[in-house]
Amino acid sequence: MAADWLGCLVSINCGPTLGMYQGEVSSVDQSSQTISLRQPFHNGVKCPVPEVTFSAIDIKELKILEINKKYNVKNTPTASAKVSRTPVAVPKGDARGAEKVNSPQHYSKSFGERQLDALGQHKGFRRRHNSCKCFNFFIRKTPKISVSRVNMLFPPGSSSSRGANQMTPKKNGVKNSQMRQRDDECFGDGVDDGLDTDFDFEGNLALFDKAAVFSEIDTSEQRNGARSRGTPQDQTPLRYRHDENILEAKPVVYRQIIVPQAGGKEYCTDSGLVVPSVSYELHKRLLSVAERHGLTLERRLEMTGVCASQMALTLLGGPNRFTPKNLHQRPTVALLCGPHVQGAQGISCGRHLANHEVEVILFLPNFVKMVDSVTNELTLFNKTDGKQVSSIKDLPDTPLDLIINCLDCHENTFLMDQPWYRAAANWANQNRAPVLSLDPPVSGQGHAVEAKWSLSLCLPLALGEGAGRVYLCDIGFPRQVFQEVGIKYQSPFGCKFVIPLHSA
């Protein structure tokens, strides 16, 4: 009986561990429950050995791909083989095809009758063109082997059927026949019935031991001297920018400025450096020490004017606004100045803006006597194309590009009660232009003009909410000047002279 299987081409499924094997049956040993294949293929790749032997306990499914010509179904042991009533595919066409299927030279009568009984139980079969058709049945070889599905092939040239009760009527005409032949050639190629079975993703994923694989990789990396994964210090980028330091440096200290007495508020830069605020008394001592070392008021005014004008030019549009092709749209800036040092800083800023082709309108009330710094800066400003006015009526009614507020003073708070001050503050608040406050006073004095930005000098004061976003400018004080007033100082400016500050 076992010799009847010799020479058959079979496909053996040994599960996900061993895989799929195909080959020609060379021997079947019923006593040891083994089957051998010659010239085997493993998962579609030819095996290096000429023969492979399988035990029945390892076989999950067995498919017969091609039956030996000497094989006779009548000689099949019926005691050990059980045929299930599963759907089969029979040749499509007339009764002659059915007679061919039931002919004794291919199958026994009893087998054919069993297959014809199964035809009525299935209502949908796949058409295949010019491919070998199969009976689908299950055979149980031994109690140790699970029921397997066997594909028994028909001779070439036959076609599949939908069953005896669902014969598709043929369409008359040569044209329809040609069209059907084209469709069959394009879409009717044989497709394995195994494609109807859904792929078991969960089962295959369970076979992958991710922890063991990563453990093996880590062991290999440690053996080769490579850095292991998962530790923060090993998250070093593989590539560096051209301006990035690849040498290991000391830990970054973000509090590099320490003041002897806190000003009530702390700020931080974009890089995270802490910049504490100072009181106005400490601020005055710092200015006094700097002037004693040669940083006179005139030098501070010039440095403040440059930094303030640079920030104003950036707010006005920077290089996108100031181009040779855009001279017909020169920005307009109004400067509101008072008769004090803060007013002199604003006049210096207006002079630099006028030198950069900005239309500057300077508001300064008429005073009988003004401080020398204001007089000197006003003389230089009059050498530019800027316009000076002393009355609010002379200021434009239309919105401007920017308003720079220099009305407030750190000491003379009584100026806020003057009519000209209130008139200027009302005009600035009613105009829709954004406001930049230059060197504003501490928050306790209040802000008559609501500002969008504020620019502090050297070290910031504790400004209120009405100051808007705070910026800090470098006016060139050396480190020893800070040390003399008890401030441990490390410059937070980096490569810039004006930096933004954020509330810590």
Side-chain angles (χ1 to χ4, degrees), residues 251-277:
V252 180
V253 178
Y254 292 100
R255 189 175 292 275
Q256 300 179 357
I257 302 176
I258 301 176
V259 296
Q261 51 185 359
K265 198 171 185 179
E266 284 189 345
Y267 302 91
C268 63
T269 64
D270 290 339
S271 58
L273 297 177
V274 178
V275 180
S277 63

Side-chain angles (χ1 to χ4, degrees), residues 471-483:
Y471 284 77
L472 187 67
C473 71
D474 183 12
I475 56 176
F477 284 7
R479 185 177 302 177
Q480 290 187 1
V481 174
F482 293 95
Q483 292 177 355

Side-chain angles (χ1 to χ4, degrees), residues 12-32:
I12 297 177
N13 182 6
C14 297
T17 304
L18 299 180
M20 298 287 296
Y21 287 85
Q22 296 86 21
E24 181 181 352
V25 178
S26 59
S27 65
V28 179
D29 192 343
Q30 295 181 349
S31 60
S32 61

Side-chain angles (χ1 to χ4, degrees), residues 145-160:
I145 304 178
S146 61
V147 177
S148 304
R149 178 173 145 187
V150 182
N151 296 330
M152 305 192 65
L153 307 179
F154 282 110
S158 61
S159 58
S160 62

